[in-house]
Amino acid sequence: DNILEILKASGIDLIFDLIGDTMNIDNCNLQKGLCTHLIVTCSNPQSKQYPSQKNGFNNLAQQLKKYINDKDFAIYVCNAVCNVCHDNPKHRDYAINSDILEAVCSAMDEHRGKDGGDKVHESGCMALRNIG
């Protein structure tokens, strides 16, 4: 299983690192792709056995702040946070001790009352629930 191989090779850390390392590249689609990797990788129940060894949520928060006007990206980030933190106390602790809570709330505020804002709120609430 490819996901298991990614997890065993510290794949969650690698994805978070890539999110941070590409901060100076103006490519929201690249960030959506990296979030998709987090979403898919952490949807696998085995991801709980291979948690991240460092806190990458600040990288994710910085990218969300950078592309806050893109509702689809906000949804990707929230879904990634939701899956990364699901049933994972270590990742929840990382999230709580990062800027991601503020970034998710800011994205929800930014899209309130706008087209598709309800989807940002839905995914944001799921992310916050899984952090809490």
Side-chain angles (χ1 to χ4, degrees):
D1 180 36
N2 290 337
I3 292 176
L4 184 57
E5 294 304 315
I6 290 169
L7 290 166
K8 286 180 178 179
S10 300
I12 296 171
D13 284 326
L14 175 64
I15 297 166
F16 275 135
D17 285 346
L18 286 170
I19 290 169
D21 291 345
T22 56
M23 187 59 65
N24 294 326
I25 298 173
D26 188 18
N27 188 331
C28 188
N29 287 330
L30 171 63
Q31 299 307 318
K32 288 177 183 175
L34 293 170
C35 284
T36 300
H37 280 290
L38 284 175
I39 293 165
V40 172
T41 301
C42 292
S43 68
N44 186 315
Q46 292 178 315
S47 67
K48 288 24 167 201
Q49 298 170 17
Y50 302 94
S52 178
Q53 298 304 306
K54 54 188 170 183
N55 191 342
F57 284 101
N58 282 327
N59 293 340
L60 195 57
Q62 288 178 330
Q63 291 288 6
L64 179 54
K65 290 175 187 176
K66 181 178 177 179
Y67 296 114
I68 197 164
N69 292 324
D70 188 312
K71 72 172 171 48
D72 293 328
F73 182 62
I75 293 168
Y76 277 80
V77 170
C78 292
N79 288 341
V81 171
C82 181
N83 283 12
V84 172
C85 291
H86 183 256
D87 289 337
N88 195 314
K90 186 172 189 176
H91 289 170
R92 285 180 184 150
D93 187 56
Y94 284 157
I96 288 167
N97 291 295
S98 76
D99 296 332
I100 198 65
L101 291 167
E102 180 184 342
V104 167
C105 291
S106 294
M108 292 169 68
D109 189 44
E110 174 69 26
H111 294 281
R112 181 177 292 116
K114 295 181 181 176
D115 183 43
D118 59 322
K119 298 297 182 190
V120 175
H121 280 243
E122 182 181 331
S123 61
C125 286
M126 290 189 310
L128 295 174
R129 179 195 67 210
N130 281 358
I131 292 170

